[in-house]
């Protein structure tokens, strides 16, 4: 893989700040769940600050991969934690537990750097051969997917690792990012909810269309926009590309450029076998986060090289694990998704099959 650059991307400083997410009201049961989880996160961070030990970075998540659910500020004074963008999963808005599926596990496939650059080049060429028709004014991009997460749930003082049952997720977004809609059990009320924070802008068609198609310039922009996220600049850049692949409709030429840009990120490997949230088998392009021990994978169909989805696997024990980390065994699938459809539609809640 080509990693020769005159300066490491971590030295670039071109990012702009994001506005904090908008407040939304939640049902009482879901509000209490998120309050409990936020307090647990604060406790966890406070007990990992040991003199002489490196600080443990908080995992960065946004609405793209794992939808952001904001607890109303009036509930309790945790504005700093809420604005930090922590996404939490747990109970559905109707009070029913969403973590009803069996624990998601997998065999950790063999990873290798050999041939990864060639694989990404072939994936890029395959993507470039499929032009995308963009939305007109008043239309919306639409992404239909299946997704599930695994997390540690604490009840009555006992912590266990639980997984959601794979479920449908639908996102509509206007070209300028000003209007959006999310339907996902557990992370939106029945019938869905508006997406109205500045986070949507990163997946908006107009914003994506303005991104450079030159891989070097594109990678520079990605490093700048993801500065300060994740456990390292390289992992943050890889995750940012994965977010866009899984939750947007990339304009013609951009998807191909994203793959070429990814080939320039140090530590990117290919994995011989991987399975998406719908059980479709493929090969993966991946990167290991040595701090967390998690490997993020982008999954592709072996023959067509079409993008299938993403997966995050606990591939090794991370550095300085806490009690919750130790509960999650190697081979646990922490996040899985499968893109089942991308389209341009005429309105929110409308699908390519029918208008609702």
């Amino acid at each position: 893989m080509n990693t020769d650059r005159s300066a490491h991307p971590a030295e670039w400083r071109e990012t702009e700040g994001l506005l904090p997410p908008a407040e939304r009201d939640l049902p009482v049961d879901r509000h209490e769940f998120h309050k409990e989880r936020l307090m647990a996160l604060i406790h966890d961070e406070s007990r990992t600050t040991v003199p002489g030990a490196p600080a443990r970075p908080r995992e960065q998540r946004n609405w793209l991969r794992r939808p952001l659910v904001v607890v109303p500020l009036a509930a309790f004074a945790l504005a700093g934690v809420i604005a930090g963008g922590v996404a939490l999963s747990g109970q559905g808005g109707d009070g029913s537990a969403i973590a009803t599926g069996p624990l998601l596990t997998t065999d950790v496939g063999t990873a290798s750097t050999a041939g990864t650059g060639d694989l990404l080049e072939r994936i890029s060429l395959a993507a470039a051969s499929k032009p995308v028709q963009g939305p007109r004014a008043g239309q919306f991009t639409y992404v239909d997917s299946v997704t599930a997460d695994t997390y540690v749930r604490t009840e009555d003082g006992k912590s266990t690792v639980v997984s959601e049952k794979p479920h449908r997720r639908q996102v509509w977004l206007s070209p300028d990012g000003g209007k959006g809609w999310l339907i996902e059990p557990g992370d939106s009320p029945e019938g869905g909810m508006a997406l109205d924070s500045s986070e949507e802008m990163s997946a908006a068609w107009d914003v994506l269309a303005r991104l450079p198609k030159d891989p070097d310039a594109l990678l520079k922009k990605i490093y700048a926009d993801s500065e300060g996220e994740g456990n390292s600049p390289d992992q943050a850049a890889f995750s940012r590309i994965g977010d866009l692949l899984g939750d947007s409709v990339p304009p013609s030429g951009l998807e191909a450029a994203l793959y070429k840009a990814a080939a320039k990120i140090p530590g990117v490997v290919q994995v011989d076998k991987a399975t998406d949230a719908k059980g479709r088998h493929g090969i993966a392009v991946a990167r290991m986060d040595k701090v967390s021990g998690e490997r993020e994978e982008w999954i592709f169909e072996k023959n067509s090289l079409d993008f299938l989805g993403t997966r995050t696997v606990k591939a090794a024990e991370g550095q300085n694990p806490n009690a919750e980390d130790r509960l999650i065994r190697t081979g646990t699938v922490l996040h899985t998704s499968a893109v089942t459809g991308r389209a341009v539609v005429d309105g929110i809640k409308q699908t390519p099959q029918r208008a609702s």
Side-chain angles (χ1 to χ4, degrees):
M1 297 176 58
N2 178 18
T3 60
D4 183 21
R5 297 192 294 273
S6 59
H8 192 279
E11 300 175 7
W12 297 326
R13 297 290 184 270
E14 298 180 4
T15 187
E16 297 179 357
L18 292 175
L19 296 174
E23 301 176 23
R24 302 185 186 97
D25 292 330
L26 292 175
V28 174
D29 56 347
R30 189 153 174 79
H31 166 234
E32 290 301 321
F33 172 82
H34 290 305
K35 179 179 178 180
E36 178 184 341
R37 293 292 294 137
L38 284 168
M39 294 300 293
L41 283 169
I42 295 171
H43 174 69
D44 177 58
E45 289 191 351
S46 65
R47 63 190 173 89
T48 56
T49 305
V50 179
R56 177 182 175 81
R58 185 173 67 227
E59 181 181 6
Q60 299 292 319
R61 297 177 181 176
N62 58 36
W63 78 274
L64 290 171
R65 274 192 310 179
R66 299 174 185 176
L68 180 65
V69 177
V70 180
V71 180
L73 296 180
F76 48 98
L78 292 176
V81 177
I82 295 171
V86 179
L88 301 171
S89 299
Q91 289 183 311
D94 59 358
S96 60
I98 192 172
T100 57
L103 187 64
L104 299 171
T105 60
T106 187
D107 293 331
V108 179
T110 303
S112 173
T113 58
T116 305
D118 290 339
L119 174 60
L120 279 165
E121 179 65 24
R122 290 191 291 116
I123 292 172
S124 177
L125 290 173
S129 68
K130 300 165 185 173
V132 179
Q133 181 65 44
R136 301 187 304 273
Q139 291 186 312
F140 292 80
T141 58
Y142 169 71
V143 179
D144 196 353
S145 61
V146 174
T147 187
D149 286 312
T150 297
Y151 56 94
V152 176
R153 181 172 63 189
T154 301
E155 292 180 331
D156 299 325
K158 181 180 179 181
S159 296
T160 55
V161 182
V162 296
S163 295
E164 300 169 349
K165 183 177 180 180
H167 55 275
R168 190 179 189 186
R169 182 171 188 255
Q170 298 169 280
V171 175
W172 291 262
L173 195 60
S174 63
D176 63 359
K179 295 181 180 179
W181 196 261
L182 167 70
I183 297 179
E184 180 177 8
D187 282 288
S188 69
E190 184 177 355
M193 68 180 187
L195 295 171
D196 53 11
S197 78
S198 61
E199 287 289 343
E200 286 118 71
M201 292 299 294
S202 59
W205 176 275
D206 292 350
V207 173
L208 296 177
R210 290 194 295 268
L211 290 176
K213 304 302 188 297
D214 174 76
D216 290 312
L218 178 59
L219 187 61
K220 182 178 180 180
K221 174 67 173 170
I222 289 168
Y223 270 99
D225 288 347
S226 60
E227 182 182 4
E229 298 177 2
N231 290 318
S232 73
D234 294 329
Q235 192 65 38
F238 187 83
S239 296
R240 177 61 66 97
I241 294 175
D243 290 347
L244 294 179
L245 292 173
D247 288 280
S248 71
V249 179
S252 294
L254 179 62
E255 186 175 359
L258 287 170
Y259 297 132
K260 289 185 176 182
K264 299 174 180 291
I265 299 176
V268 176
V269 300
Q270 62 174 306
V271 179
D272 59 347
K273 57 182 179 180
T275 306
D276 71 6
K278 281 188 66 67
R280 299 178 297 190
H281 300 284
I283 56 176
V285 172
R287 193 179 191 282
M288 179 75 163
D289 184 339
K290 294 181 180 179
V291 175
S292 66
E294 299 173 7
R295 189 173 71 196
E296 184 176 339
E297 302 173 348
W298 310 336
I299 305 169
F300 301 88
E301 204 281 325
K302 290 183 178 180
N303 296 317
S304 67
L305 299 179
D306 287 341
F307 177 80
L308 298 179
T310 64
R311 188 172 73 167
T312 302
V313 177
K314 185 75 170 182
E317 184 172 304
Q319 301 170 5
N320 304 313
N322 62 22
E324 284 196 355
D325 293 333
R326 293 189 181 96
L327 289 175
I328 302 175
R329 303 293 182 85
T330 300
T332 301
V333 177
L334 299 170
H335 172 76
T336 181
S337 72
V339 175
T340 55
R342 301 179 196 266
V344 172
V345 296
D346 291 331
I348 284 176
K349 295 189 179 182
Q350 184 177 120
T351 67
Q353 292 76 30
R354 65 178 182 85
S356 57

